[in-house]
Amino acid sequence: MEKLAGLSHLFVTVFLSSFASLMVIPAITDVTMSAVCPGKDECSLAIYLSGFQQAIIGLGTVVMMPLIGNLSDQYGRKALLTLPMTLSIIPLVILAYSRTTTFFYAYYLLRTLTAMICEGSINCLALAYVADNVLERQRTSAFGILSGIATAAFVCGTLAARFLSTASTFQVAALVSMLAAVYMRIFLRESLPNGENLTRPILKSGQDGHCQDDGDLSGLAPVLKKIPSIQDITGLLKSSVTFSQAAVVAFFNSIAEGGMQASIMYYLKARFHFSKNQYADLMLLLGIAGMASQLVFMPLLAQLVAEEKLLAIGLLGGIADALLFSVAWSNWVPYATTIFAVFMVFVPPCLRSIASKQVGPTEQGKAQGCISGIISFAKIISPLIYSPLTGM
C-alpha cells in the first residue's frame, strides 16, 4: 500500500488527462453529425470518417507506441509523457473555439495527426511507471487500480458532459487537459530505469552532452536508432511464450473492442434513436460498473485468484456482452449489458501484468509499447471489418 501511495501524483495525472479526453466522447457524435450531415439522424459518411480516422491513428500508433516505450526506458517516463499530454490539448482547443464545418475538419485533421502519438501513449507510459515502482506480486492490483482511476475519470467526464452544453464540454476539456500537463510537469517524480541517462536530453549526441556541429539531423540519429525494428519486436515476442500468448489475446480482443467503439454510437442512434444524453447515461452506467470492479473487487480478487483466471473471466464477459448487444430488441437492452462491464474490465490489467512479468526492469517501456503497438494494429483492421457492416 505504501508503494501505491507513492503513485498518487501519477494517478492524479492520469485522472485529469483521461477526464479531458473522455468527456468529449458523448458530444463528438452530435458535432460530427451536425458538421457532416446536418439535420439527419443517419449518416454513412460520418461512420466511414470515424472508421478511416481510427485506422490512420492505429497505423501511426503501431510505429509510435514501441518507439515511445523504448525511449522512455532510456530517457524516463515523465520526459516522454510531456509530448502526448501537450499535443492532446490542440484538437480540444479547436472545438472549444468553434464547431462549424470548417473547424470540425480542422479538428478532424489535427486530431488524426496528434492521436498517432497521443492515443494510448499516456496509458502505456503510466503502466511502465507503475511497473517501475511496484513489486511483481502487486502489479495486477496496481494495474487494476490505474485502470480504475481512468474509468473514474470516464464516469466523471461523462457525468459532466451530461449537464454541460456541447460548447462548454469542449471548453472544460481543453482547460483540464492543460491543467493535467502542468500538474504532471510540476509534481510527478521522474522514473528512469537507466539512471545513467538521466541528464542527457533526447536530442543530444551521447559522447559529451553538447550539441554537435553537424546540424539537427545528427542530433536525431540517437533517437532514430531507438526505433524498434520488426526483428526487435519479433525477438521480444519469441523471448517468452507467455508474452507472445498475451500479445495474441490482446490483438483479437482489441479487434472486437475496436469494432464496438467505432460503431456503437451510430448503431444506437440509428436503431434506437439514442440522443447525446441517452448515450451519456449508458456510458455512465458502464463506467460506474467498471470503476467499482477495478477499484474494489479486482484488488481483492487478485490476491485470491490467478491473473490468468481473471483474464478468462473478463474475456467471457466480453463475449456475452457482444452477443446480447447483437440481438438487442428494445432500447433497454443496451443498459442491461452493463452488468458484463464488471468482468470485462479485468482484461487489460491482467494482460499488462502478465506481459510486464516476462521482461526485466529496464524493458518495461518496450514491453508495454509492444503490447500497445499490437493493440493499435488491431484497431487498423477493426474498422475495415465493422464500418461496412454498420453502414449497411
Side-chain angles (χ1 to χ4, degrees):
M1 295 302 292
E2 183 178 349
K3 284 285 188 180
L4 294 179
L7 299 173
S8 58
H9 290 311
L10 176 69
F11 291 154
V12 173
T13 298
V14 170
F15 178 87
L16 292 174
S17 175
S18 300
F19 178 89
S21 62
L22 294 173
M23 73 177 299
V24 302
I25 292 178
I28 195 61
T29 304
D30 287 344
V31 171
T32 303
M33 295 288 285
S34 297
V36 177
C37 301
K40 296 183 179 179
D41 290 332
E42 299 182 30
C43 182
S44 296
L45 178 58
I47 296 173
Y48 281 106
L49 281 175
S50 177
F52 175 77
Q53 184 182 58
Q54 186 175 337
I56 295 299
I57 291 172
L59 184 62
T61 53
V62 165
V63 177
M64 294 307 301
M65 288 303 97
L67 171 59
I68 289 174
N70 202 23
L71 286 173
S72 74
D73 286 335
Q74 302 296 321
Y75 300 101
R77 317 302 183 198
K78 179 179 178 178
L80 269 295
L81 270 171
T82 303
L83 180 61
M85 293 191 70
T86 302
L87 290 177
S88 63
I89 297 171
I90 301 172
L92 295 174
V93 169
I94 293 174
L95 288 188
Y97 180 76
S98 177
R99 288 149 305 284
T100 61
T101 300
T102 301
F103 280 90
F104 169 77
Y105 280 111
Y107 160 84
Y108 182 85
L109 176 61
L110 287 174
R111 160 68 181 162
T112 303
L113 294 175
T114 58
M116 292 181 184
I117 297 174
C118 304
E119 188 86 5
S121 60
I122 295 174
N123 183 57
C124 171
L125 294 170
L127 288 164
Y129 192 104
V130 170
D132 291 341
N133 294 279
V134 176
L135 299 175
E136 283 192 5
R137 65 177 181 272
Q138 297 177 319
R139 282 183 193 166
T140 303
S141 296
F143 287 160
I145 291 172
L146 179 65
S147 296
I149 294 295
T151 306
F154 174 75
V155 170
C156 294
T158 304
L159 188 60
R162 181 70 173 80
F163 298 102
L164 292 173
S165 66
T166 300
S168 298
T169 297
F170 286 98
Q171 291 164 1
V172 171
L175 288 173
V176 174
S177 185
M178 294 177 195
L179 177 62
V182 172
Y183 183 94
M184 183 273 296
R185 290 303 306 171
I186 294 175
F187 295 107
L188 187 65
R189 178 177 58 85
E190 182 62 276
S191 179
L192 192 71
N194 292 335
E196 66 274 10
N197 291 324
L198 180 60
T199 59
R200 179 154 60 90
I202 295 176
L203 295 181
K204 295 285 186 78
S205 63
Q207 295 182 355
D208 56 7
H210 295 286
C211 292
Q212 302 299 311
D213 295 328
D214 296 335
D216 293 335
L217 292 178
S218 63
L220 287 173
V223 178
L224 295 177
K225 290 180 181 178
K226 300 298 180 184
I227 299 178
S229 65
I230 297 297
Q231 290 78 11
D232 294 332
I233 301 299
T234 304
L236 182 60
L237 293 172
K238 289 182 177 179
S239 66
S240 168
V241 174
T242 303
F243 187 91
S244 62
Q245 290 172 339
V248 170
V249 173
F251 175 76
F252 285 106
N253 185 66
S254 297
I255 288 181
E257 283 190 350
M260 292 288 285
Q261 292 171 2
S263 60
I264 187 172
M265 293 182 289
Y266 304 103
Y267 170 79
L268 292 173
K269 194 174 186 68
R271 184 162 184 177
F272 300 117
H273 303 288
F274 262 44
S275 66
K276 168 194 166 184
N277 288 341
Q278 286 177 302
Y279 181 74
D281 289 341
L282 177 59
M283 294 299 102
L284 184 62
L285 286 174
L286 285 169
I288 292 173
M291 178 180 65
S293 180
Q294 290 170 322
L295 293 179
V296 180
F297 301 125
M298 191 171 182
L300 297 175
L301 289 174
Q303 301 177 28
L304 305 173
V305 182
E307 55 196 7
E308 293 82 3
K309 292 183 179 179
L310 287 177
L311 175 60
I313 292 171
L315 292 172
L316 288 173
I319 293 170
D321 176 72
L323 287 174
L324 187 56
F325 236 111
S326 68
V327 296
W329 58 91
S330 178
N331 59 4
W332 63 265
V333 177
Y335 294 101
T337 63
T338 57
I339 187 63
F340 298 113
V342 174
F343 308 105
M344 291 163 57
V345 295
F346 292 169
V347 175
C350 289
L351 280 174
R352 298 292 189 162
S353 179
I354 291 169
S356 75
K357 294 176 182 178
Q358 309 308 311
V359 298
T362 60
E363 295 181 313
Q364 290 299 322
K366 182 188 291 185
Q368 297 300 337
C370 179
I371 295 295
S372 295
I374 290 169
I375 290 173
S376 298
F377 180 65
K379 289 183 178 180
I380 298 173
I381 300 173
S382 182
L384 300 178
I385 300 171
Y386 288 92
S387 291
L389 296 176
T390 309
M392 289 181 178

